[in-house]
Every structure is written in structure tokens, then in C-alpha cells.
Amino acid sequence: AVYRLAQQKITSLITLGTPHTSPTSALVDQTRGLLREIAASPSCSSQTLTNAGIAITCVSSSSLSAKLFTTDLEQIIAATSYLPLVGRLDNVKGDGIVPTDLAFMESPARRVEIEKCSDTGGAVRHAHVLPTPWNLLDGEAASWKLPEDIVWYGSPGVLGQWLEYVC
């Protein structure tokens, strides 16, 4: 019943920095098989959703590259996120958490790759908050807010790069 109601009411799906595939080259399947199950379900394919009248837009940043041997903390964090997910670091970019290699569904889903904030020219990151250890104990616990100059998918200068696809 919920599935049928959703198909009747939903006209657009926009994902922001969301992994959509779990490659066989991954060192660890961080979704514990969830992405593989979704990929195996014909009802979850971008073609099936498009045929049902749901426009799909996948948005991902390609602002941050990964390096293990650097003094740049963001590149180290990106490396520790990207390496388990894709099994390599060469020529891998993303939003610091999700590499672009995994962030897009197959066609006919729309692909919006954001290189930088159009207002500041700065990197676009996965989020403007950090989860905290107590989020594991209490899902309602507040996350740590990052400094105001941290740019993410919801920041001015980034919203305009994907907001037009909200139907």
C-alpha cells in the first residue's frame, strides 16, 4: 500500500552525495549488502522509476581528492572514506565522504556533478555537520556543526546548481 501510494505521489527523487553502487573492488562493503540488494531489485532501477513518472537526479561533488601522505586533513579523511569504498586512491574525487564513482545511478537518471561553490569557488563537502559518538546511543542527539564557511550541498552557491530539478 505504501509503495503504491508513493508511486502516485512522488514525481522527483534527488540524491545528494549518496552512494548508489557497491563495486566488487571495494575493500569493505560499508552498506553491509544493502546497495547490492537494491541494485538486484528491478523495481529500484532508474529506468523503472523513470517509467513510473519519477524524475531522478543524482548530485555529487568532485571537489575533494584523496591523499594519505599529506598535511591536508580533508584529503586524509577523503582517503579513509574513498579507499574502502573503491579500493584505490588514484584519480578519485568526491565530496570527502562519497566518491563520485559511486554517486550516480545509471541512465536515464540525471547526473549533476558539482566542482565548486559558484559563490566562493570553494570545495563542496558532504555535510556541514559531523556525527558524534553519542549519535550511536541517541539518534536525536545534536551533531557538531562545522564552521560557517564550510560549503555543502545546501549552501548558497551550491543550491542553484541542482535546485532546478526539484519538481
Side-chain angles (χ1 to χ4, degrees), residues 2-160:
V2 172
Y3 179 75
R4 283 192 307 276
L5 182 62
Q7 282 191 315
Q8 293 170 0
K9 301 286 184 184
I10 296 172
T11 60
S12 178
L13 170 66
I14 298 178
T15 64
L16 305 173
T18 304
H20 291 289
T21 60
S22 185
T24 56
S25 63
L27 301 176
V28 175
D29 181 355
Q30 293 186 337
T31 67
R32 295 173 191 84
L34 178 62
L35 288 177
R36 286 195 182 98
E37 286 295 316
I38 291 170
S41 172
S43 63
C44 294
S45 75
S46 62
Q47 187 63 60
T48 299
L49 294 171
T50 299
N51 291 347
I54 300 171
I56 302 166
T57 303
C58 301
V59 180
S60 180
S61 167
S62 60
S63 295
L64 298 167
S65 58
K67 289 184 185 171
L68 282 174
F69 304 106
T70 180
T71 57
D72 185 328
L73 183 59
E74 282 193 302
Q75 289 183 329
I76 294 169
I77 292 170
T80 62
S81 292
Y82 302 169
L83 184 61
L85 292 170
V86 295
R88 62 184 171 77
L89 293 178
D90 59 311
N91 298 318
V92 180
K93 291 187 173 190
D95 61 15
I97 301 296
V98 176
T100 56
D101 295 20
L102 308 182
F104 299 105
M105 294 177 79
E106 71 280 352
S107 181
R110 186 179 296 111
R111 177 185 174 123
V112 177
E113 188 170 325
I114 300 173
E115 293 182 17
K116 60 185 176 181
C117 175
S118 60
D119 287 352
T120 66
V124 178
R125 294 160 186 88
H126 187 76
H128 66 296
V129 296
L130 287 176
T132 60
W134 48 87
N135 290 126
L136 295 172
L137 303 172
D138 177 6
E140 307 269 331
S143 297
W144 288 329
K145 286 192 175 206
L146 295 172
E148 292 294 319
D149 63 341
I150 295 292
V151 177
W152 71 292
Y153 295 109
S155 295
V158 180
L159 275 171

